[in-house]
PDB file of all heavy atoms in Angstrom:
ATOM      1  N   ASN A   1     -11.498   8.244   3.883  1.00 98.00           N
ATOM      2  CA  ASN A   1     -10.193   8.375   4.527  1.00 98.00           C
ATOM      3  C   ASN A   1      -9.615   7.000   4.866  1.00 98.00           C
ATOM      4  O   ASN A   1      -9.124   6.750   5.969  1.00 98.00           O
ATOM      5  CB  ASN A   1     -10.274   9.254   5.784  1.00 98.00           C
ATOM      6  CG  ASN A   1      -9.015  10.076   5.998  1.00 98.00           C
ATOM      7  OD1 ASN A   1      -8.405  10.557   5.042  1.00 98.00           O
ATOM      8  ND2 ASN A   1      -8.627  10.251   7.258  1.00 98.00           N
ATOM      9  N   GLN A   2      -9.659   6.110   3.876  1.00 98.00           N
ATOM     10  CA  GLN A   2      -9.194   4.742   4.034  1.00 98.00           C
ATOM     11  C   GLN A   2      -8.223   4.387   2.933  1.00 98.00           C
ATOM     12  O   GLN A   2      -8.332   4.889   1.809  1.00 98.00           O
ATOM     13  CB  GLN A   2     -10.361   3.756   3.981  1.00 98.00           C
ATOM     14  CG  GLN A   2     -11.356   3.881   5.115  1.00 98.00           C
ATOM     15  CD  GLN A   2     -12.519   2.932   4.956  1.00 98.00           C
ATOM     16  OE1 GLN A   2     -12.910   2.587   3.836  1.00 98.00           O
ATOM     17  NE2 GLN A   2     -13.086   2.492   6.069  1.00 98.00           N
ATOM     18  N   PHE A   3      -7.296   3.498   3.251  1.00 98.00           N
ATOM     19  CA  PHE A   3      -6.491   2.877   2.214  1.00 98.00           C
ATOM     20  C   PHE A   3      -6.450   1.372   2.444  1.00 98.00           C
ATOM     21  O   PHE A   3      -6.637   0.887   3.553  1.00 98.00           O
ATOM     22  CB  PHE A   3      -5.091   3.501   2.095  1.00 98.00           C
ATOM     23  CG  PHE A   3      -4.202   3.367   3.302  1.00 98.00           C
ATOM     24  CD1 PHE A   3      -3.189   2.420   3.324  1.00 98.00           C
ATOM     25  CD2 PHE A   3      -4.342   4.208   4.395  1.00 98.00           C
ATOM     26  CE1 PHE A   3      -2.336   2.317   4.417  1.00 98.00           C
ATOM     27  CE2 PHE A   3      -3.500   4.111   5.491  1.00 98.00           C
ATOM     28  CZ  PHE A   3      -2.496   3.162   5.496  1.00 98.00           C
ATOM     29  N   THR A   4      -6.212   0.637   1.354  1.00 98.00           N
ATOM     30  CA  THR A   4      -6.452  -0.795   1.329  1.00 98.00           C
ATOM     31  C   THR A   4      -5.231  -1.531   0.781  1.00 98.00           C
ATOM     32  O   THR A   4      -4.561  -1.043  -0.133  1.00 98.00           O
ATOM     33  CB  THR A   4      -7.676  -1.115   0.460  1.00 98.00           C
ATOM     34  OG1 THR A   4      -8.826  -0.471   1.009  1.00 98.00           O
ATOM     35  CG2 THR A   4      -7.934  -2.609   0.402  1.00 98.00           C
ATOM     36  N   LEU A   5      -4.960  -2.700   1.350  1.00 98.00           N
ATOM     37  CA  LEU A   5      -3.943  -3.609   0.838  1.00 98.00           C
ATOM     38  C   LEU A   5      -4.615  -4.821   0.219  1.00 98.00           C
ATOM     39  O   LEU A   5      -5.503  -5.420   0.831  1.00 98.00           O
ATOM     40  CB  LEU A   5      -3.016  -4.071   1.965  1.00 98.00           C
ATOM     41  CG  LEU A   5      -2.034  -5.192   1.598  1.00 98.00           C
ATOM     42  CD1 LEU A   5      -0.987  -4.688   0.611  1.00 98.00           C
ATOM     43  CD2 LEU A   5      -1.380  -5.760   2.851  1.00 98.00           C
ATOM     44  N   GLN A   6      -4.177  -5.186  -0.977  1.00 98.00           N
ATOM     45  CA  GLN A   6      -4.524  -6.459  -1.578  1.00 98.00           C
ATOM     46  C   GLN A   6      -3.230  -7.185  -1.894  1.00 98.00           C
ATOM     47  O   GLN A   6      -2.367  -6.649  -2.584  1.00 98.00           O
ATOM     48  CB  GLN A   6      -5.365  -6.277  -2.840  1.00 98.00           C
ATOM     49  CG  GLN A   6      -6.743  -5.694  -2.562  1.00 98.00           C
ATOM     50  CD  GLN A   6      -7.653  -5.771  -3.763  1.00 98.00           C
ATOM     51  OE1 GLN A   6      -7.327  -5.248  -4.827  1.00 98.00           O
ATOM     52  NE2 GLN A   6      -8.788  -6.437  -3.596  1.00 98.00           N
ATOM     53  N   LEU A   7      -3.102  -8.393  -1.377  1.00 98.00           N
ATOM     54  CA  LEU A   7      -1.933  -9.227  -1.607  1.00 98.00           C
ATOM     55  C   LEU A   7      -2.424 -10.516  -2.231  1.00 98.00           C
ATOM     56  O   LEU A   7      -3.132 -11.293  -1.586  1.00 98.00           O
ATOM     57  CB  LEU A   7      -1.198  -9.499  -0.293  1.00 98.00           C
ATOM     58  CG  LEU A   7       0.133 -10.251  -0.404  1.00 98.00           C
ATOM     59  CD1 LEU A   7       1.171  -9.396  -1.126  1.00 98.00           C
ATOM     60  CD2 LEU A   7       0.631 -10.645   0.986  1.00 98.00           C
ATOM     61  N   SER A   8      -2.063 -10.737  -3.471  1.00 98.00           N
ATOM     62  CA  SER A   8      -2.600 -11.854  -4.234  1.00 98.00           C
ATOM     63  C   SER A   8      -1.755 -13.106  -4.071  1.00 98.00           C
ATOM     64  O   SER A   8      -0.616 -13.066  -3.605  1.00 98.00           O
ATOM     65  CB  SER A   8      -2.708 -11.477  -5.715  1.00 98.00           C
ATOM     66  OG  SER A   8      -1.429 -11.265  -6.276  1.00 98.00           O
ATOM     67  N   SER A   9      -2.330 -14.236  -4.478  1.00 97.00           N
ATOM     68  CA  SER A   9      -1.630 -15.522  -4.535  1.00 97.00           C
ATOM     69  C   SER A   9      -0.914 -15.847  -3.232  1.00 97.00           C
ATOM     70  O   SER A   9       0.259 -16.216  -3.220  1.00 97.00           O
ATOM     71  CB  SER A   9      -0.644 -15.525  -5.708  1.00 97.00           C
ATOM     72  OG  SER A   9      -1.296 -15.257  -6.933  1.00 97.00           O
ATOM     73  N   VAL A  10      -1.614 -15.743  -2.135  1.00 98.00           N
ATOM     74  CA  VAL A  10      -0.969 -15.896  -0.836  1.00 98.00           C
ATOM     75  C   VAL A  10      -0.618 -17.353  -0.554  1.00 98.00           C
ATOM     76  O   VAL A  10      -1.249 -18.288  -1.070  1.00 98.00           O
ATOM     77  CB  VAL A  10      -1.830 -15.329   0.299  1.00 98.00           C
ATOM     78  CG1 VAL A  10      -2.051 -13.833   0.096  1.00 98.00           C
ATOM     79  CG2 VAL A  10      -3.151 -16.072   0.420  1.00 98.00           C
ATOM     80  N   THR A  11       0.407 -17.529   0.254  1.00 97.00           N
ATOM     81  CA  THR A  11       0.850 -18.820   0.755  1.00 97.00           C
ATOM     82  C   THR A  11       0.950 -18.735   2.271  1.00 97.00           C
ATOM     83  O   THR A  11       0.854 -17.647   2.848  1.00 97.00           O
ATOM     84  CB  THR A  11       2.214 -19.208   0.170  1.00 97.00           C
ATOM     85  OG1 THR A  11       3.244 -18.433   0.803  1.00 97.00           O
ATOM     86  CG2 THR A  11       2.264 -18.979  -1.336  1.00 97.00           C
ATOM     87  N   PRO A  12       1.168 -19.867   2.962  1.00 97.00           N
ATOM     88  CA  PRO A  12       1.343 -19.793   4.412  1.00 97.00           C
ATOM     89  C   PRO A  12       2.470 -18.875   4.860  1.00 97.00           C
ATOM     90  O   PRO A  12       2.437 -18.389   5.996  1.00 97.00           O
ATOM     91  CB  PRO A  12       1.608 -21.254   4.798  1.00 97.00           C
ATOM     92  CG  PRO A  12       0.842 -22.029   3.787  1.00 97.00           C
ATOM     93  CD  PRO A  12       1.016 -21.260   2.502  1.00 97.00           C
ATOM     94  N   GLU A  13       3.451 -18.609   3.998  1.00 97.00           N
ATOM     95  CA  GLU A  13       4.523 -17.688   4.365  1.00 97.00           C
ATOM     96  C   GLU A  13       4.054 -16.247   4.468  1.00 97.00           C
ATOM     97  O   GLU A  13       4.789 -15.401   4.981  1.00 97.00           O
ATOM     98  CB  GLU A  13       5.681 -17.796   3.372  1.00 97.00           C
ATOM     99  CG  GLU A  13       6.427 -19.122   3.448  1.00 97.00           C
ATOM    100  CD  GLU A  13       7.721 -19.132   2.664  1.00 97.00           C
ATOM    101  OE1 GLU A  13       8.102 -18.083   2.100  1.00 97.00           O
ATOM    102  OE2 GLU A  13       8.370 -20.193   2.628  1.00 97.00           O
ATOM    103  N   ASP A  14       2.856 -15.953   3.998  1.00 98.00           N
ATOM    104  CA  ASP A  14       2.276 -14.618   4.156  1.00 98.00           C
ATOM    105  C   ASP A  14       1.566 -14.447   5.491  1.00 98.00           C
ATOM    106  O   ASP A  14       1.073 -13.349   5.779  1.00 98.00           O
ATOM    107  CB  ASP A  14       1.312 -14.324   3.008  1.00 98.00           C
ATOM    108  CG  ASP A  14       2.013 -14.231   1.671  1.00 98.00           C
ATOM    109  OD1 ASP A  14       3.013 -13.488   1.576  1.00 98.00           O
ATOM    110  OD2 ASP A  14       1.559 -14.905   0.709  1.00 98.00           O
ATOM    111  N   THR A  15       1.488 -15.495   6.295  1.00 98.00           N
ATOM    112  CA  THR A  15       0.918 -15.375   7.632  1.00 98.00           C
ATOM    113  C   THR A  15       1.736 -14.380   8.446  1.00 98.00           C
ATOM    114  O   THR A  15       2.959 -14.496   8.539  1.00 98.00           O
ATOM    115  CB  THR A  15       0.891 -16.739   8.326  1.00 98.00           C
ATOM    116  OG1 THR A  15      -0.016 -17.603   7.640  1.00 98.00           O
ATOM    117  CG2 THR A  15       0.457 -16.603   9.775  1.00 98.00           C
ATOM    118  N   ALA A  16       1.061 -13.398   9.042  1.00 98.00           N
ATOM    119  CA  ALA A  16       1.767 -12.343   9.763  1.00 98.00           C
ATOM    120  C   ALA A  16       0.760 -11.466  10.484  1.00 98.00           C
ATOM    121  O   ALA A  16      -0.448 -11.527  10.238  1.00 98.00           O
ATOM    122  CB  ALA A  16       2.598 -11.485   8.805  1.00 98.00           C
ATOM    123  N   VAL A  17       1.282 -10.624  11.372  1.00 98.00           N
ATOM    124  CA  VAL A  17       0.529  -9.482  11.859  1.00 98.00           C
ATOM    125  C   VAL A  17       0.747  -8.347  10.869  1.00 98.00           C
ATOM    126  O   VAL A  17       1.893  -8.010  10.537  1.00 98.00           O
ATOM    127  CB  VAL A  17       0.964  -9.060  13.268  1.00 98.00           C
ATOM    128  CG1 VAL A  17       0.210  -7.808  13.707  1.00 98.00           C
ATOM    129  CG2 VAL A  17       0.720 -10.197  14.254  1.00 98.00           C
ATOM    130  N   TYR A  18      -0.326  -7.774  10.380  1.00 98.00           N
ATOM    131  CA  TYR A  18      -0.267  -6.704   9.388  1.00 98.00           C
ATOM    132  C   TYR A  18      -0.608  -5.375  10.048  1.00 98.00           C
ATOM    133  O   TYR A  18      -1.603  -5.265  10.774  1.00 98.00           O
ATOM    134  CB  TYR A  18      -1.231  -6.988   8.235  1.00 98.00           C
ATOM    135  CG  TYR A  18      -0.728  -8.042   7.284  1.00 98.00           C
ATOM    136  CD1 TYR A  18      -0.751  -9.393   7.625  1.00 98.00           C
ATOM    137  CD2 TYR A  18      -0.202  -7.689   6.039  1.00 98.00           C
ATOM    138  CE1 TYR A  18      -0.266 -10.360   6.762  1.00 98.00           C
ATOM    139  CE2 TYR A  18       0.281  -8.654   5.170  1.00 98.00           C
ATOM    140  CZ  TYR A  18       0.249  -9.986   5.533  1.00 98.00           C
ATOM    141  OH  TYR A  18       0.733 -10.945   4.662  1.00 98.00           O
ATOM    142  N   TYR A  19       0.229  -4.381   9.788  1.00 98.00           N
ATOM    143  CA  TYR A  19       0.066  -3.044  10.331  1.00 98.00           C
ATOM    144  C   TYR A  19      -0.099  -2.022   9.215  1.00 98.00           C
ATOM    145  O   TYR A  19       0.516  -2.154   8.153  1.00 98.00           O
ATOM    146  CB  TYR A  19       1.302  -2.616  11.132  1.00 98.00           C
ATOM    147  CG  TYR A  19       1.648  -3.479  12.318  1.00 98.00           C
ATOM    148  CD1 TYR A  19       2.511  -4.558  12.190  1.00 98.00           C
ATOM    149  CD2 TYR A  19       1.133  -3.188  13.581  1.00 98.00           C
ATOM    150  CE1 TYR A  19       2.851  -5.337  13.283  1.00 98.00           C
ATOM    151  CE2 TYR A  19       1.468  -3.958  14.676  1.00 98.00           C
ATOM    152  CZ  TYR A  19       2.331  -5.036  14.523  1.00 98.00           C
ATOM    153  OH  TYR A  19       2.667  -5.804  15.611  1.00 98.00           O
ATOM    154  N   CYS A  20      -0.878  -0.993   9.467  1.00 98.00           N
ATOM    155  CA  CYS A  20      -0.819   0.201   8.652  1.00 98.00           C
ATOM    156  C   CYS A  20      -0.170   1.314   9.457  1.00 98.00           C
ATOM    157  O   CYS A  20      -0.177   1.296  10.697  1.00 98.00           O
ATOM    158  CB  CYS A  20      -2.195   0.622   8.119  1.00 98.00           C
ATOM    159  SG  CYS A  20      -3.494   0.884   9.332  1.00 98.00           S
ATOM    160  N   ALA A  21       0.440   2.277   8.768  1.00 98.00           N
ATOM    161  CA  ALA A  21       1.204   3.317   9.433  1.00 98.00           C
ATOM    162  C   ALA A  21       1.310   4.549   8.557  1.00 98.00           C
ATOM    163  O   ALA A  21       1.234   4.462   7.330  1.00 98.00           O
ATOM    164  CB  ALA A  21       2.605   2.816   9.776  1.00 98.00           C
ATOM    165  N   ARG A  22       1.507   5.700   9.195  1.00 98.00           N
ATOM    166  CA  ARG A  22       1.869   6.909   8.479  1.00 98.00           C
ATOM    167  C   ARG A  22       3.381   6.935   8.340  1.00 98.00           C
ATOM    168  O   ARG A  22       4.104   6.651   9.305  1.00 98.00           O
ATOM    169  CB  ARG A  22       1.370   8.160   9.204  1.00 98.00           C
ATOM    170  CG  ARG A  22       1.451   9.413   8.336  1.00 98.00           C
ATOM    171  CD  ARG A  22       0.825  10.616   9.003  1.00 98.00           C
ATOM    172  NE  ARG A  22       1.690  11.173  10.040  1.00 98.00           N
ATOM    173  CZ  ARG A  22       1.444  12.304  10.688  1.00 98.00           C
ATOM    174  NH1 ARG A  22       0.327  12.999  10.420  1.00 98.00           N
ATOM    175  NH2 ARG A  22       2.275  12.724  11.623  1.00 98.00           N
ATOM    176  N   THR A  23       3.868   7.290   7.153  1.00 98.00           N
ATOM    177  CA  THR A  23       5.244   7.061   6.789  1.00 98.00           C
ATOM    178  C   THR A  23       5.959   8.352   6.436  1.00 98.00           C
ATOM    179  O   THR A  23       5.388   9.239   5.795  1.00 98.00           O
ATOM    180  CB  THR A  23       5.312   6.096   5.587  1.00 98.00           C
ATOM    181  OG1 THR A  23       4.719   4.851   5.977  1.00 98.00           O
ATOM    182  CG2 THR A  23       6.747   5.849   5.142  1.00 98.00           C
ATOM    183  N   ILE A  24       7.213   8.437   6.873  1.00 97.00           N
ATOM    184  CA  ILE A  24       8.103   9.519   6.464  1.00 97.00           C
ATOM    185  C   ILE A  24       8.909   9.025   5.270  1.00 97.00           C
ATOM    186  O   ILE A  24       9.504   7.945   5.317  1.00 97.00           O
ATOM    187  CB  ILE A  24       9.039   9.937   7.618  1.00 97.00           C
ATOM    188  CG1 ILE A  24       8.236  10.441   8.818  1.00 97.00           C
ATOM    189  CG2 ILE A  24      10.003  11.018   7.138  1.00 97.00           C
ATOM    190  CD1 ILE A  24       7.925   9.373   9.831  1.00 97.00           C
ATOM    191  N   VAL A  25       8.932   9.812   4.211  1.00 97.00           N
ATOM    192  CA  VAL A  25       9.576   9.425   2.963  1.00 97.00           C
ATOM    193  C   VAL A  25      10.684  10.413   2.635  1.00 97.00           C
ATOM    194  O   VAL A  25      10.502  11.628   2.751  1.00 97.00           O
ATOM    195  CB  VAL A  25       8.552   9.346   1.815  1.00 97.00           C
ATOM    196  CG1 VAL A  25       9.255   9.181   0.467  1.00 97.00           C
ATOM    197  CG2 VAL A  25       7.593   8.187   2.050  1.00 97.00           C
ATOM    198  N   SER A  26      11.816   9.885   2.219  1.00 96.00           N
ATOM    199  CA  SER A  26      12.924  10.677   1.709  1.00 96.00           C
ATOM    200  C   SER A  26      13.110  10.322   0.243  1.00 96.00           C
ATOM    201  O   SER A  26      13.477   9.189  -0.084  1.00 96.00           O
ATOM    202  CB  SER A  26      14.200  10.395   2.505  1.00 96.00           C
ATOM    203  OG  SER A  26      15.286  11.142   1.990  1.00 96.00           O
ATOM    204  N   GLY A  27      12.849  11.288  -0.629  1.00 95.00           N
ATOM    205  CA  GLY A  27      12.811  10.976  -2.046  1.00 95.00           C
ATOM    206  C   GLY A  27      11.610  10.095  -2.322  1.00 95.00           C
ATOM    207  O   GLY A  27      10.463  10.525  -2.184  1.00 95.00           O
ATOM    208  N   ILE A  28      11.854   8.835  -2.690  1.00 95.00           N
ATOM    209  CA  ILE A  28      10.782   7.858  -2.820  1.00 95.00           C
ATOM    210  C   ILE A  28      10.895   6.741  -1.797  1.00 95.00           C
ATOM    211  O   ILE A  28      10.031   5.857  -1.765  1.00 95.00           O
ATOM    212  CB  ILE A  28      10.736   7.248  -4.240  1.00 95.00           C
ATOM    213  CG1 ILE A  28      12.036   6.506  -4.561  1.00 95.00           C
ATOM    214  CG2 ILE A  28      10.452   8.321  -5.281  1.00 95.00           C
ATOM    215  CD1 ILE A  28      11.951   5.667  -5.827  1.00 95.00           C
ATOM    216  N   LEU A  29      11.904   6.784  -0.940  1.00 96.00           N
ATOM    217  CA  LEU A  29      12.164   5.683  -0.028  1.00 96.00           C
ATOM    218  C   LEU A  29      11.547   5.932   1.335  1.00 96.00           C
ATOM    219  O   LEU A  29      11.673   7.027   1.893  1.00 96.00           O
ATOM    220  CB  LEU A  29      13.663   5.458   0.130  1.00 96.00           C
ATOM    221  CG  LEU A  29      14.424   5.077  -1.133  1.00 96.00           C
ATOM    222  CD1 LEU A  29      15.907   4.936  -0.826  1.00 96.00           C
ATOM    223  CD2 LEU A  29      13.874   3.787  -1.727  1.00 96.00           C
ATOM    224  N   PRO A  30      10.892   4.917   1.928  1.00 97.00           N
ATOM    225  CA  PRO A  30      10.408   5.059   3.298  1.00 97.00           C
ATOM    226  C   PRO A  30      11.568   5.010   4.274  1.00 97.00           C
ATOM    227  O   PRO A  30      12.448   4.145   4.174  1.00 97.00           O
ATOM    228  CB  PRO A  30       9.488   3.837   3.463  1.00 97.00           C
ATOM    229  CG  PRO A  30      10.077   2.812   2.548  1.00 97.00           C
ATOM    230  CD  PRO A  30      10.629   3.577   1.367  1.00 97.00           C
ATOM    231  N   VAL A  31      11.576   5.937   5.211  1.00 97.00           N
ATOM    232  CA  VAL A  31      12.662   5.986   6.186  1.00 97.00           C
ATOM    233  C   VAL A  31      12.180   5.823   7.619  1.00 97.00           C
ATOM    234  O   VAL A  31      13.001   5.663   8.523  1.00 97.00           O
ATOM    235  CB  VAL A  31      13.489   7.283   6.046  1.00 97.00           C
ATOM    236  CG1 VAL A  31      14.159   7.338   4.680  1.00 97.00           C
ATOM    237  CG2 VAL A  31      12.624   8.516   6.261  1.00 97.00           C
ATOM    238  N   GLY A  32      10.879   5.841   7.844  1.00 97.00           N
ATOM    239  CA  GLY A  32      10.349   5.649   9.172  1.00 97.00           C
ATOM    240  C   GLY A  32       8.855   5.827   9.193  1.00 97.00           C
ATOM    241  O   GLY A  32       8.244   6.219   8.192  1.00 97.00           O
ATOM    242  N   HIS A  33       8.264   5.530  10.352  1.00 98.00           N
ATOM    243  CA  HIS A  33       6.818   5.631  10.531  1.00 98.00           C
ATOM    244  C   HIS A  33       6.547   6.256  11.890  1.00 98.00           C
ATOM    245  O   HIS A  33       7.151   5.850  12.886  1.00 98.00           O
ATOM    246  CB  HIS A  33       6.175   4.242  10.442  1.00 98.00           C
ATOM    247  CG  HIS A  33       6.701   3.415   9.306  1.00 98.00           C
ATOM    248  ND1 HIS A  33       6.273   3.583   8.012  1.00 98.00           N
ATOM    249  CD2 HIS A  33       7.640   2.438   9.284  1.00 98.00           C
ATOM    250  CE1 HIS A  33       6.918   2.727   7.225  1.00 98.00           C
ATOM    251  NE2 HIS A  33       7.757   2.030   7.973  1.00 98.00           N
ATOM    252  N   ASP A  34       5.646   7.218  11.926  1.00 98.00           N
ATOM    253  CA  ASP A  34       5.400   7.915  13.184  1.00 98.00           C
ATOM    254  C   ASP A  34       4.091   7.545  13.868  1.00 98.00           C
ATOM    255  O   ASP A  34       3.972   7.718  15.087  1.00 98.00           O
ATOM    256  CB  ASP A  34       5.524   9.427  13.013  1.00 98.00           C
ATOM    257  CG  ASP A  34       4.619  10.009  11.934  1.00 98.00           C
ATOM    258  OD1 ASP A  34       3.848   9.269  11.304  1.00 98.00           O
ATOM    259  OD2 ASP A  34       4.695  11.240  11.728  1.00 98.00           O
ATOM    260  N   TYR A  35       3.126   7.062  13.142  1.00 98.00           N
ATOM    261  CA  TYR A  35       1.883   6.578  13.725  1.00 98.00           C
ATOM    262  C   TYR A  35       1.579   5.207  13.159  1.00 98.00           C
ATOM    263  O   TYR A  35       1.714   4.983  11.953  1.00 98.00           O
ATOM    264  CB  TYR A  35       0.713   7.529  13.454  1.00 98.00           C
ATOM    265  CG  TYR A  35       0.814   8.844  14.179  1.00 98.00           C
ATOM    266  CD1 TYR A  35       1.387   9.948  13.575  1.00 98.00           C
ATOM    267  CD2 TYR A  35       0.334   8.969  15.479  1.00 98.00           C
ATOM    268  CE1 TYR A  35       1.488  11.155  14.242  1.00 98.00           C
ATOM    269  CE2 TYR A  35       0.432  10.172  16.159  1.00 98.00           C
ATOM    270  CZ  TYR A  35       1.008  11.263  15.527  1.00 98.00           C
ATOM    271  OH  TYR A  35       1.099  12.456  16.202  1.00 98.00           O
ATOM    272  N   TRP A  36       1.142   4.303  14.036  1.00 98.00           N
ATOM    273  CA  TRP A  36       0.864   2.916  13.683  1.00 98.00           C
ATOM    274  C   TRP A  36      -0.523   2.513  14.133  1.00 98.00           C
ATOM    275  O   TRP A  36      -1.018   2.971  15.165  1.00 98.00           O
ATOM    276  CB  TRP A  36       1.850   1.966  14.356  1.00 98.00           C
ATOM    277  CG  TRP A  36       3.282   2.086  13.947  1.00 98.00           C
ATOM    278  CD1 TRP A  36       4.134   3.122  14.202  1.00 98.00           C
ATOM    279  CD2 TRP A  36       4.040   1.096  13.234  1.00 98.00           C
ATOM    280  NE1 TRP A  36       5.384   2.836  13.688  1.00 98.00           N
ATOM    281  CE2 TRP A  36       5.346   1.607  13.096  1.00 98.00           C
ATOM    282  CE3 TRP A  36       3.743  -0.159  12.712  1.00 98.00           C
ATOM    283  CZ2 TRP A  36       6.357   0.892  12.445  1.00 98.00           C
ATOM    284  CZ3 TRP A  36       4.746  -0.861  12.067  1.00 98.00           C
ATOM    285  CH2 TRP A  36       6.034  -0.337  11.938  1.00 98.00           C
ATOM    286  N   GLY A  37      -1.145   1.605  13.381  1.00 98.00           N
ATOM    287  CA  GLY A  37      -2.295   0.903  13.894  1.00 98.00           C
ATOM    288  C   GLY A  37      -1.868  -0.168  14.882  1.00 98.00           C
ATOM    289  O   GLY A  37      -0.678  -0.437  15.080  1.00 98.00           O
ATOM    290  N   GLN A  38      -2.833  -0.799  15.508  1.00 98.00           N
ATOM    291  CA  GLN A  38      -2.521  -1.817  16.506  1.00 98.00           C
ATOM    292  C   GLN A  38      -2.102  -3.143  15.887  1.00 98.00           C
ATOM    293  O   GLN A  38      -1.551  -3.997  16.581  1.00 98.00           O
ATOM    294  CB  GLN A  38      -3.718  -2.042  17.421  1.00 98.00           C
ATOM    295  CG  GLN A  38      -4.934  -2.628  16.713  1.00 98.00           C
ATOM    296  CD  GLN A  38      -6.135  -2.762  17.632  1.00 98.00           C
ATOM    297  OE1 GLN A  38      -6.047  -2.560  18.842  1.00 98.00           O
ATOM    298  NE2 GLN A  38      -7.280  -3.102  17.059  1.00 98.00           N
ATOM    299  N   GLY A  39      -2.353  -3.336  14.617  1.00 98.00           N
ATOM    300  CA  GLY A  39      -2.023  -4.564  13.924  1.00 98.00           C
ATOM    301  C   GLY A  39      -3.177  -5.545  13.932  1.00 98.00           C
ATOM    302  O   GLY A  39      -4.000  -5.565  14.844  1.00 98.00           O
ATOM    303  N   THR A  40      -3.225  -6.372  12.907  1.00 98.00           N
ATOM    304  CA  THR A  40      -4.235  -7.414  12.819  1.00 98.00           C
ATOM    305  C   THR A  40      -3.594  -8.706  12.327  1.00 98.00           C
ATOM    306  O   THR A  40      -2.797  -8.702  11.394  1.00 98.00           O
ATOM    307  CB  THR A  40      -5.403  -6.983  11.904  1.00 98.00           C
ATOM    308  OG1 THR A  40      -6.451  -7.955  11.963  1.00 98.00           O
ATOM    309  CG2 THR A  40      -4.961  -6.815  10.456  1.00 98.00           C
ATOM    310  N   GLN A  41      -3.911  -9.799  12.989  1.00 98.00           N
ATOM    311  CA  GLN A  41      -3.374 -11.103  12.626  1.00 98.00           C
ATOM    312  C   GLN A  41      -4.078 -11.634  11.392  1.00 98.00           C
ATOM    313  O   GLN A  41      -5.313 -11.661  11.342  1.00 98.00           O
ATOM    314  CB  GLN A  41      -3.549 -12.081  13.790  1.00 98.00           C
ATOM    315  CG  GLN A  41      -3.183 -13.524  13.454  1.00 98.00           C
ATOM    316  CD  GLN A  41      -1.705 -13.727  13.281  1.00 98.00           C
ATOM    317  OE1 GLN A  41      -0.911 -13.211  14.074  1.00 98.00           O
ATOM    318  NE2 GLN A  41      -1.314 -14.475  12.245  1.00 98.00           N
ATOM    319  N   VAL A  42      -3.303 -12.064  10.405  1.00 98.00           N
ATOM    320  CA  VAL A  42      -3.837 -12.732   9.230  1.00 98.00           C
ATOM    321  C   VAL A  42      -3.132 -14.077   9.088  1.00 98.00           C
ATOM    322  O   VAL A  42      -1.909 -14.137   9.031  1.00 98.00           O
ATOM    323  CB  VAL A  42      -3.657 -11.906   7.946  1.00 98.00           C
ATOM    324  CG1 VAL A  42      -4.212 -12.679   6.749  1.00 98.00           C
ATOM    325  CG2 VAL A  42      -4.354 -10.560   8.073  1.00 98.00           C
ATOM    326  N   THR A  43      -3.911 -15.130   9.019  1.00 98.00           N
ATOM    327  CA  THR A  43      -3.387 -16.480   8.862  1.00 98.00           C
ATOM    328  C   THR A  43      -3.780 -17.011   7.493  1.00 98.00           C
ATOM    329  O   THR A  43      -4.952 -16.928   7.109  1.00 98.00           O
ATOM    330  CB  THR A  43      -3.925 -17.402   9.955  1.00 98.00           C
ATOM    331  OG1 THR A  43      -3.514 -16.910  11.231  1.00 98.00           O
ATOM    332  CG2 THR A  43      -3.405 -18.824   9.768  1.00 98.00           C
ATOM    333  N   VAL A  44      -2.804 -17.547   6.772  1.00 98.00           N
ATOM    334  CA  VAL A  44      -3.053 -18.189   5.483  1.00 98.00           C
ATOM    335  C   VAL A  44      -2.987 -19.688   5.715  1.00 98.00           C
ATOM    336  O   VAL A  44      -1.929 -20.234   6.052  1.00 98.00           O
ATOM    337  CB  VAL A  44      -2.047 -17.754   4.422  1.00 98.00           C
ATOM    338  CG1 VAL A  44      -2.337 -18.468   3.100  1.00 98.00           C
ATOM    339  CG2 VAL A  44      -2.093 -16.240   4.233  1.00 98.00           C
ATOM    340  N   SER A  45      -4.107 -20.355   5.550  1.00 96.00           N
ATOM    341  CA  SER A  45      -4.183 -21.782   5.828  1.00 96.00           C
ATOM    342  C   SER A  45      -5.373 -22.381   5.110  1.00 96.00           C
ATOM    343  O   SER A  45      -6.411 -21.741   4.939  1.00 96.00           O
ATOM    344  CB  SER A  45      -4.326 -22.031   7.332  1.00 96.00           C
ATOM    345  OG  SER A  45      -4.493 -23.416   7.604  1.00 96.00           O
TER     346      SER A  45
END
Protein backbone atom coordinates (compact mmCIF):
# COMPACT_ATOMS: atom_id res chain seq x y z
CA ASN A 1 0.00 0.00 0.00
CA GLN A 2 2.80 2.36 -1.01
CA PHE A 3 3.55 4.63 -3.90
CA THR A 4 6.90 6.11 -4.83
CA LEU A 5 8.31 9.23 -6.48
CA GLN A 6 11.51 9.21 -8.48
CA LEU A 7 12.75 12.56 -9.75
CA SER A 8 15.85 12.28 -11.90
CA SER A 9 18.66 14.71 -12.72
CA VAL A 10 17.97 16.90 -9.72
CA THR A 11 19.38 20.38 -9.20
CA PRO A 12 19.30 22.71 -6.18
CA GLU A 13 16.04 24.11 -7.57
CA ASP A 14 14.43 20.78 -6.65
CA THR A 15 15.03 21.51 -2.96
CA ALA A 16 11.59 21.53 -1.33
CA VAL A 17 9.26 20.01 1.19
CA TYR A 18 7.68 17.03 -0.57
CA TYR A 19 4.16 15.87 0.24
CA CYS A 20 2.07 12.92 -0.76
CA ALA A 21 -1.71 13.26 -0.85
CA ARG A 22 -4.96 11.63 -1.88
CA THR A 23 -6.29 13.48 -4.89
CA ILE A 24 -9.67 14.35 -6.37
CA VAL A 25 -9.58 14.12 -10.17
CA SER A 26 -11.94 15.58 -12.74
CA GLY A 27 -11.43 13.84 -16.03
CA ILE A 28 -7.64 13.49 -15.93
CA LEU A 29 -6.92 16.75 -14.12
CA PRO A 30 -6.22 17.04 -10.38
CA VAL A 31 -8.60 19.49 -8.77
CA GLY A 32 -7.84 19.07 -5.08
CA HIS A 33 -6.49 16.90 -2.29
CA ASP A 34 -8.34 15.75 0.79
CA TYR A 35 -5.69 13.91 2.79
CA TRP A 36 -2.03 14.91 3.09
CA GLY A 37 1.11 13.54 4.62
CA GLN A 38 3.08 15.76 6.96
CA GLY A 39 5.74 16.45 4.34
CA THR A 40 9.44 15.70 4.24
CA GLN A 41 12.29 18.10 3.56
CA VAL A 42 14.58 17.18 0.67
CA THR A 43 17.70 19.22 0.02
CA VAL A 44 19.69 18.96 -3.21
CA SER A 45 23.26 19.99 -2.52
